Amino acid sequence: MRKEGGVVLATERYGSAQSWKYLEKDGVIERRRDGREGETRSHSVVGFFKSVFLPQGYPDSVSDDYLQYQFWDTLQAFSSSLSGTLATQASLKGVGVGNQEATVAAATVTWLLRDGTGMLGRILFAWQKGTKLDSEAKKWRLFADVLNDIAMFMEILAPYFPTCFTLIVCTAGIFKSIVGVAGGATRAALTVHQARRDNMADISAKDGSQETLVNLAGLLVSLILIPLVTDNPVLTVSLFFLFTILHLFANYKAVRSVVMETFNEARLSIVLLRYLKDKQIFSPSQANQTEPVFLEFGKMTPIKLGVRLQDVVQSPEELSLALKENNMPFLLGIRNGCVYVCLGPEASVCDEIRAVCQALWLSDMLSHPTSREHVCPASEQQSLWKMVHESYKLMDANFDPFLKGVEAAGWDIKRTLLDWDEWRVEWKAKSS
């Protein structure tokens, strides 16, 4: 192949960022970059910043939503940095910086109490909610940022309530410790989603570089703000609310931009109920746009996955009912307004998805009184078991085409983010 200036012997590229060609000219191999000289200089500058702040192989090495998420995440980090400056100034003023009557011992005790209560809060929150941070990463990510703004607002107000100052800053310290656990854990979960070449460490490191650059910019702006807000509580609170609105808006846009291809309970519910309604399969992008990103309480009948056998059945008769028309490696039951799923040790990922599909259908039926009245004529317990049996028939008819449809739509069915507990039960049918 002959080009102007010589014969092209080979071409090479560096990901999608650079393209080079090797030319034979006068018996010598010459390496030349594709593109005009001006473009080359421009690309070299852009390439330098990409290599410093973006993962190697970008954009091929990350998920499609990476750039949009990082843009909003950067904006929220900048606004949070400025809000944090206002809160830190208020905290220092509250412990006595600039006050000749304040003692070092009193300020130290206050600081130690704040840090101590924060440590306890961190441990307790990780114990109670650690398993939820993978399956509901978007919700807890947004929750952490809202809680962080509340904690900073408390720190700004604390100096104006000197009698309750220690209590307020300790409470804010607990909130911030929860933010640290939830924010760090959900950041890790999102990094797993973004990494497409097993490059989690690189993505995490470059995210740290981006955050450091943003914090440096926030520091420079803070140097201008501090003289303006000192001894001016009205301006302090006004700027804090301005930065908080920007922070929350950017966080909402950030979590909304994430498109996860794995099923959690919310995304599976959206896709399944739409399929049962009109046989339409939502793509990951469509389902993620519909997925709720705020924590919800009491809207749906709760579902407990991977429970003990006694949570599902409490008598041999109930075990017989649970095994009726059931040849799957899981058992379902409804008790005390909750759907329980008991899983066998041999269950595959597809079995887990099907079990949750049945549980979601039962939860949806129980959450709509009109539907429940239609299927519950006489005995409450018998009617509930009748609903369980109907769920098996429904999935027998619909699950295989549903599973093929979601796989064709781009969903990853080899793994899930469903919140299973660790109980696994082997049961035997009651002998005649």
Side-chain angles (χ1 to χ4, degrees), residues 136-149 179 182-183 186 190 247-256 292-295:
E136 298 181 340
K138 294 182 186 181
K139 291 182 179 180
W140 286 106
R141 177 74 177 179
L142 194 56
F143 169 81
D145 288 299
V146 172
L147 194 62
N148 188 47
D149 289 332
V179 171
T186 53
L190 293 174
H247 178 237
L248 294 178
F249 175 74
N251 268 294
Y252 176 79
K253 296 293 287 185
V255 296
R256 270 285 175 228
V293 293
F294 294 101
L295 292 175

Side-chain angles (χ1 to χ4, degrees), residues 176-194:
K176 284 196 169 184
S177 69
I178 294 173
V179 171
V181 175
T186 53
R187 173 67 260 185
L190 293 174
T191 302
V192 172
H193 157 70
Q194 292 171 340

Side-chain angles (χ1 to χ4, degrees), residues 44 100 107 139 187 190 205 248 290 311 351 411:
S44 65
Q100 294 180 352
K139 291 182 179 180
R187 173 67 260 185
L190 293 174
L248 294 178
T290 313
D311 292 323
D351 293 328
W411 290 97

Side-chain angles (χ1 to χ4, degrees), residues 5-139:
V7 178
V8 178
L9 300 178
T11 61
E12 65 183 7
R13 65 184 180 91
Y14 186 79
S16 59
Q18 301 179 25
S19 180
W20 297 78
K21 58 189 176 185
Y22 289 84
L23 305 172
E24 180 186 0
K25 186 177 181 182
D26 300 329
V28 179
I29 295 180
E30 179 184 342
R31 184 173 183 262
R32 187 181 301 171
R33 184 168 182 170
D34 283 345
R36 294 185 295 274
E37 188 64 26
E39 290 178 346
T40 301
R41 283 196 294 267
S42 174
H43 287 323
S44 65
V45 176
V46 174
F48 171 75
F49 281 98
K50 280 186 176 181
S51 65
V52 174
F53 295 108
L54 294 175
Q56 180 179 323
Y58 172 87
D60 302 321
S61 61
V62 295
S63 58
D64 294 336
D65 55 17
Y66 176 83
L67 186 61
Q68 186 178 3
Y69 174 83
Q70 291 302 125
F71 170 79
W72 291 111
D73 189 53
T74 299
L75 184 60
Q76 71 85 17
F78 178 72
S79 55
S80 179
S81 176
L82 297 179
S83 298
T85 298
L86 300 176
T88 301
Q89 185 206 31
S91 295
L92 293 174
K93 181 180 178 182
V95 296
V97 174
N99 184 356
Q100 294 180 352
E101 297 179 359
T103 64
V104 175
T108 303
V109 169
T110 301
W111 221 256
L112 290 175
L113 286 173
R114 190 195 71 162
D115 290 347
T117 52
M119 293 174 188
L120 291 175
R122 185 179 297 113
I123 293 171
L124 292 173
F125 179 77
W127 169 46
Q128 287 293 320
K129 297 297 181 181
T131 57
K132 297 287 185 183
L133 301 179
D134 281 303
S135 58
E136 298 181 340
K138 294 182 186 181
K139 291 182 179 180

Side-chain angles (χ1 to χ4, degrees), residues 328-341:
M328 303 302 298
F330 56 81
L331 300 176
L332 285 95
I334 304 170
R335 190 175 300 278
N336 300 323
C338 184
V339 180
Y340 292 95
V341 183

Side-chain angles (χ1 to χ4, degrees), residues 178-244:
I178 294 173
V179 171
V181 175
T186 53
R187 173 67 260 185
L190 293 174
T191 302
V192 172
H193 157 70
Q194 292 171 340
R196 296 305 159 98
R197 291 183 181 173
D198 295 325
N199 56 339
M200 284 179 54
D202 186 28
I203 291 177
S204 181
K206 297 301 170 56
D207 182 65
S209 297
Q210 296 168 22
E211 188 169 345
T212 301
L213 181 64
V214 170
N215 288 335
L216 180 60
L219 177 64
L220 296 176
V221 176
S222 297
L223 292 175
I224 301 173
L225 285 180
I226 290 300
L228 299 176
V229 300
T230 302
D231 298 324
N232 192 337
V234 175
L235 182 59
T236 300
V237 173
S238 300
L239 287 175
F240 175 78
F241 277 114
L242 176 64
F243 297 144
T244 298

